[in-house]
Amino acid sequence: MKMFSKVFIFLTGAVYIYYQVLAQDIYSAEIMVESNVTLDAQTVLSAINSTSLSLSGQTVQIINTELVAECLIVGTDTNCNCSTNYLWSNEVCYNYNCCGDATCTQNVSYITPLCSPKVQVLNVADFQVAVNVSVLTSKLQEIVTFLETQLSATIFVDTLGMVIVEAPGTKVCYQSTPQLACKLEEPTGSAGWNMTTQTQRFELNNGSVVQLNQTCATSIYQSCIGVTLKGVTGIWEGTYECGFTIGSIRHTGRTFLSVALLPDTITMSTMPLTMDCSKSQQNVSITASVIIPASSKSYDISWSYNGSATNYTAVQNTTSKGYVNYTFTPTIPCTKGSGTYVNITFKNDVNQMKSAQINIPVINANDIVCNQIILNGDTWPKTPAGETVIIRTCPPGRVGYKSRTCIGPAWQDVFSSCVSEELDKVSNAAQAFLKGLGATPEVAKNIFEGLKNSSTLSSGSGESIADVNASIGVLNMMAKASNTTVLGEDIFPDFVSAASNMLNGTWNGVNDTVRYSMSSNYLNSVEGLVKNIKVNQSNGVNSTNLDLTFCRSHDCNVSVFDIGVNMNKTNGILKTVAVKNLMSKLNNSFNGAKPDRTDLILSATLDNNSDSARRIRLDFPSGKTNPTQPHCVFWNTTENNWSDEGCNISISDENHTVCECNHLTAFSVLMSKNDGRKTDPTLELISHIGLGVSICSLVIFLIIESLVWSAVVKTNLSHFRHTAIVNIATFLLLADCSFLASSNPETLSDSWCLVLTICKHLFYLAMFCWMLCLSIMLVHQLIFVFSPLRKRVFMFLSSILGYVCPILMVGSSYVYYKYTNQKYHEPETCWLVYVKLLVGSMHAFLLPVGTIVLANLFSMVVVIVTLMKTSVPDSSKADDKETAKGILKVVIVLTPVFGVTWIVGFIQLIMSDSPMYNVIAYIFTILNTFQGFFILITGCFAEQKVREELFKLITGKSKGNDSTKKFTSTTYTKDH
């Protein structure tokens, strides 16, 4: 649905009886009715006719109503018409060049009077006077004043010929920087420039292209205003009018600026989008097309491909909707190993050239490709890996393009740059405003009104994420323009509403890099606009996601979204704006900290930069569930990241965090990871030593197992046990190596960090799954004594549980978090993400590990109970002592291979706010980093058969060659 407003202007004759006297006073009033839906004017007139009005306490009777004008406003496009028998008023004609009864494309709906009757009691006369000598303005003003007195009329006088206009005499080049100057011998009160094209009239103000200069006056020419145009394009060709105003007299001068045009925009596409050279064909036929804005000037156009010296002429061209389309159909040979591109060059009448190029992905034989797919009506062709294809079609009501990248053999998500047509018009108006073309307060208000209407339809997901990105672009352009153009407080309501609407969605339609850029641009733009917009009477504006407040007193104590702000200043207005639902979209990589759950940002600025008292105190409400370490931070616009320089914490408890900073900008509170505890160097040293010892121990254990395997594995039960322990040791070794490799995340790329995170997740889960296999096997043997487990069944079931299940768990969790656009890993730690209870990828590790540890603990209890039952009730103390020793041995031997020590980790997670936290952390680190060493002790040296076989192996080798040969021969026989 198109967002528009329709404005009706009515003249209402009001009649009332004054003190019931027959004499009547007749009043004429102008009423404006504005609506965003189609209204019938007669319906509105009928409603006005039946309305009782009161004027100065007297009853008013409406005796006549009629429609004066009607305006249709769609985005920044305006179409206004006076009704029959009405003409545009003098003010409209004088200021907007809309005269007579012609259609006006400027937004003039707010002007009073808007239209005047063609037949009036007092006639409006246009007359011209030609003089041959210079007339002093003061003398001319005397004559005008005398005529106004005699005629009881208002007279405006425009002179032509008294102003000297200096401008380039010939056509200026494309992207050149022409200078124009307007000079008058007399001093004047005000001066300015306007530019008129074939369809519109614009006021010129300072911008990225327009630079006004009022310092060019001389002793002869006491009034002067110059204008410099930096890098002119086609839109700057037109009639330039300068004017000096003194009273009701305006001295004007005109000149025409001719520009040697070249296309401002060149949009290229090909069909097909890719070249398939994987088969035997030698040549591929391609149709290349280019669209440029239509122009009255013609160009010399030439095509080429792959840098060929021969130029080809466009075979046809068509014109539609103000654009020209040229096509070129070459047959391009397939050349392996070289890129293919098509080039077009435009040359104007002064031999300036402008070129554009489009690359065509080439598919060679044996290339990794993404297969053709049809999605939502769009056909994404077969594309080689690493290439991006662009489709320049959008849904109805949208303009732009869609792109998709092939990361062979899988397609990435579609990136849509299709924005609504209304928003595209608002964006174009903002671009012109930034350049200085029509940069007036009225145009600025129209831009923000159009932005507000467009932003109500954006949810921040799917196609509308492109609207959000384009809306942020409009905010960014207007923020830059506000540095040179004065914006008034009347734009605050539309600006705040539009900016608030942009934050309603999650922005999940783009990747992290794009989202971080969008959120940073948003914050910088909002802060820049709030700082630069001039405030007179307004006290602030409130919306769903933005709360804007102004403080004019010396001692400011204000509250925005429950954030208390205190600042003592000597002058200026303190402007504070609090923002919701933006914090989570920013790049929060400050020392591994996370945003507070309140998700609030506060920007504080002063409109007077000379104030030296910049100490500000901020009281943020706390959203944390557990005590964590807060960080008072501000947004560093240079680095686009958080920084705590100049900010410190004054108070921090479970209810609020008070920050004190010595500068002004955007502030927030971040909560550090690891529950706010700083890294303990001793704990890190223990971790590295433990991992090193564990890795060496596991390597020794696996070597010993390979040497004594045939001697100790003689029964199914021993085969089951040693198979499980070897797998546990292998996966623990791989996990420890991955953990050690990722101990310094800052030195790793994000890709390697992700790989190591997946490895740790997979290897630790596989280790626990094999621990579960071992415990299940042990319990089965104890309970079902006369139903032994067959070797083939054990190997099949344990392979599924130990190999397949970990892969499925890790793969499904990674796909889930990628599909839902949630973070799977933390680049700062190279480990899984923990947000809160049951939120974050960490639970893809905690839940299965916790389940397995509880199951293994149950198995250990079953073993202990069974061991206790074997003792006779009336046994001696010596038997009880042996039973106790057996139980202790079971606990010591099974604890490392059952992963029971990991229970300490869960206790550490639960007791994060306990004074015993550090003690528990040390216990957990020691037990688990040395787990490989414990497996070596309990799996090798604590098992009698392994010890004996290892002893035989060592002593056998020391006896000489005969013993060694005999041992080898025996082993060989057993293997076979």
Side-chain angles (χ1 to χ4, degrees), residues 857-868:
L857 188 62
F858 171 77
S859 300
M860 185 182 293
V861 172
V862 170
V863 173
I864 294 173
V865 171
T866 305
L867 191 64
M868 292 176 64

Side-chain angles (χ1 to χ4, degrees), residues 54 60-61 63 206 232 285 310 361 460 600 634 768 809 835-836 857 907 945 964:
S54 176
V60 176
Q61 178 186 0
I63 61 174
N206 285 316
V232 292
S285 179
T310 304
L600 288 175
F634 73 94
F768 278 101
M809 284 189 284
V835 180
K836 58 181 179 178
L857 188 62
I907 296 174
K945 287 185 178 181
T964 304

Side-chain angles (χ1 to χ4, degrees), residues 160-429:
L160 191 63
M162 296 182 65
V163 173
I164 303 298
V165 180
E166 297 177 354
T170 59
K171 182 179 295 185
V172 299
C173 292
Y174 188 82
Q175 289 289 345
S176 63
T177 303
Q179 295 181 343
L180 297 86
C182 194
K183 299 179 179 180
L184 182 67
E185 293 179 353
E186 299 179 76
T188 60
S190 63
W193 280 93
N194 293 290
M195 194 270 281
T196 304
T197 64
Q198 294 180 348
T199 58
Q200 288 183 289
R201 177 183 173 89
F202 300 97
E203 181 179 329
L204 300 183
N205 286 291
N206 285 316
S208 61
V209 174
V210 177
Q211 290 186 343
L212 298 178
N213 176 22
Q214 297 186 3
T215 61
C216 54
T218 63
S219 57
I220 299 176
Y221 296 103
Q222 299 182 44
S223 295
C224 178
I225 182 168
V227 60
T228 301
L229 305 175
K230 298 172 62 177
V232 292
T233 59
I235 63 173
W236 297 96
E237 180 172 275
T239 299
Y240 287 77
E241 178 183 292
C242 59
F244 299 95
T245 303
I246 307 175
S248 59
I249 299 172
R250 185 169 181 262
H251 301 296
T252 62
R254 298 185 183 93
T255 186
F256 186 81
L257 183 67
S258 179
V259 180
L261 302 180
L262 281 172
D264 291 340
T265 59
I266 303 175
T267 304
M268 298 188 70
S269 60
T270 63
M271 187 56 64
L273 299 175
T274 61
M275 282 180 55
D276 192 352
C277 294
S278 59
K279 299 178 181 178
S280 58
Q281 70 262 32
Q282 299 296 317
N283 302 298
V284 177
S285 179
I286 294 289
T287 298
S289 64
V290 62
I291 298 175
I292 63 171
S295 171
S296 58
K297 308 294 176 64
S298 60
Y299 307 107
D300 290 334
I301 303 171
S302 59
W303 295 84
S304 64
Y305 66 85
N306 292 347
S308 58
T310 304
N311 290 330
Y312 299 85
T313 305
V315 295
Q316 66 181 41
N317 68 83
T318 57
T319 305
S320 62
K321 294 183 179 180
Y323 290 91
V324 180
N325 180 32
Y326 297 93
T327 59
F328 167 51
T329 310
T331 299
I332 302 177
C334 289
T335 305
K336 187 174 181 180
S338 62
T340 296
Y341 61 89
V342 174
N343 187 84
I344 185 171
T345 301
F346 295 88
K347 185 166 69 172
N348 61 17
D349 50 5
V350 294
N351 294 323
Q352 286 183 294
M353 293 185 291
K354 187 175 183 178
S355 299
Q357 178 179 297
I358 184 170
N359 295 317
I360 308 173
V362 178
I363 304 171
N364 296 306
N366 301 322
D367 280 354
I368 298 175
V369 298
C370 295
N371 293 323
Q372 177 176 308
I373 186 173
I374 299 176
L375 181 64
N376 298 327
D378 296 323
T379 301
W380 299 95
K382 183 179 177 182
T383 303
E387 296 288 349
T388 299
V389 291
I390 296 175
I391 295 179
R392 297 193 179 275
T393 58
C394 291
R398 291 184 169 272
V399 294
Y401 66 91
K402 300 174 186 176
S403 62
R404 200 173 192 187
T405 301
C406 170
I407 307 297
W411 283 104
Q412 297 291 92
D413 293 335
V414 176
F415 182 81
S416 176
S417 293
C418 295
V419 301
S420 68
E421 292 179 346
E422 289 77 16
L423 183 56
D424 186 59
K425 294 175 183 177
V426 174
S427 180
N428 292 335

Side-chain angles (χ1 to χ4, degrees), residues 9 42 56 90 102 198 324 334 395 398 422 452 457 486 521 577 621 689 734 823 834 865 870 918:
I9 308 296
Q42 266 330 111
S56 301
N90 286 342
Q198 294 180 348
V324 180
C334 289
R398 291 184 169 272
E422 289 77 16
K452 179 192 70 174
L457 303 177
V486 176
N521 288 337
V577 56
I689 294 174
L734 294 173
K823 292 179 67 174
Y834 180 83
V865 171
T870 57
N918 289 331

Side-chain angles (χ1 to χ4, degrees), residues 11 38 67 164 207 230 251 266 283 328 444 460 472 493 500 524 554 577 599 610 651 753 779 827 845 850 867 913 924:
L11 282 181
T38 302
L67 181 66
I164 303 298
K230 298 172 62 177
H251 301 296
I266 303 175
N283 302 298
F328 167 51
I472 294 173
S500 176
N524 295 338
H554 295 308
V577 56
D599 195 16
S610 63
I651 301 172
C753 188
V779 171
F845 177 77
L867 191 64
D913 56 342
F924 176 76

Side-chain angles (χ1 to χ4, degrees), residues 785-817:
V785 180
F786 301 104
S787 300
L789 197 63
R790 289 183 296 174
K791 185 176 181 180
R792 180 178 299 177
V793 174
F794 172 79
M795 292 303 299
F796 176 75
L797 295 178
S798 61
S799 295
I800 293 177
L801 182 59
Y803 298 135
V804 179
C805 287
I807 294 174
L808 290 178
M809 284 189 284
V810 174
S812 59
S813 62
Y814 176 77
V815 171
Y816 169 77
Y817 284 99

